[in-house]
């Protein structure tokens, strides 16, 4: 099942570290079949006010996502992002193509 690395970044300082991070991250993704799904960009706000950046990277599965994040190549780059931005980063499993909103009710004990 597809898994995702999600980053909600704010207060980004575009400095040489960020430039080096951006120039290096694609090579760290390739061995794990990671690809950008969302990489910041303009947003059409429908509800609320979201001024931060959202980055989503897709991987074939959670094992691949973990492998990428823990890899020596990515761990060498991560401090460059951490020094230049505040934010939250996490890995999460996707859902099957036939998933429906009510599917979560079973896990919540609601039938």
């Amino acid at each position: 099942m597809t898994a995702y690395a999600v980053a909600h970044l704010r207060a980004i300082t575009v400095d040489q570290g960020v430039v080096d991070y951006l120039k290096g991250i694609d090579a760290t993704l390739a061995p794990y079949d990671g690809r950008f799904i969302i990489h910041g960009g303009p947003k059409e706000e429908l509800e609320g006010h979201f001024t931060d950046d959202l980055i989503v990277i897709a991987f074939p599965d959670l094992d691949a996502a973990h492998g990428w994040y823990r890899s020596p190549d990515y761990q060498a780059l991560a401090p460059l992002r951490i020094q230049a931005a505040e934010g939250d980063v996490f890995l999460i499993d996707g859902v099957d193509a036939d998933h429906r909103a009510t599917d979560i009710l079973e896990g919540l004990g609601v039938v």
Side-chain angles (χ1 to χ4, degrees), residues 52-109:
D52 304 332
D53 282 326
L54 183 67
I55 295 90
V56 179
I57 303 171
F59 293 90
D61 53 40
L62 203 50
D63 286 340
H66 279 288
W68 164 74
Y69 187 80
R70 294 175 180 156
S71 71
D73 289 338
Y74 183 70
Q75 286 301 305
L77 284 178
L80 300 174
R81 176 190 46 78
I82 292 167
Q83 292 170 7
E86 298 172 15
D88 309 297
V89 177
F90 58 91
L91 303 178
I92 190 167
D93 261 328
V95 295
D96 293 325
D98 62 346
H99 176 85
R100 299 294 175 253
T102 54
D103 292 348
I104 68 163
L105 295 176
E106 184 176 327
L108 297 172

Side-chain angles (χ1 to χ4, degrees), residues 22-45:
L22 292 171
K23 286 182 176 181
I25 191 170
D26 290 325
T28 71
L29 295 170
Y32 303 93
D33 293 324
R35 62 186 179 89
F36 285 96
I37 300 297
I38 299 170
H39 197 189
K43 299 165 281 302
E44 180 182 344
E45 294 175 345

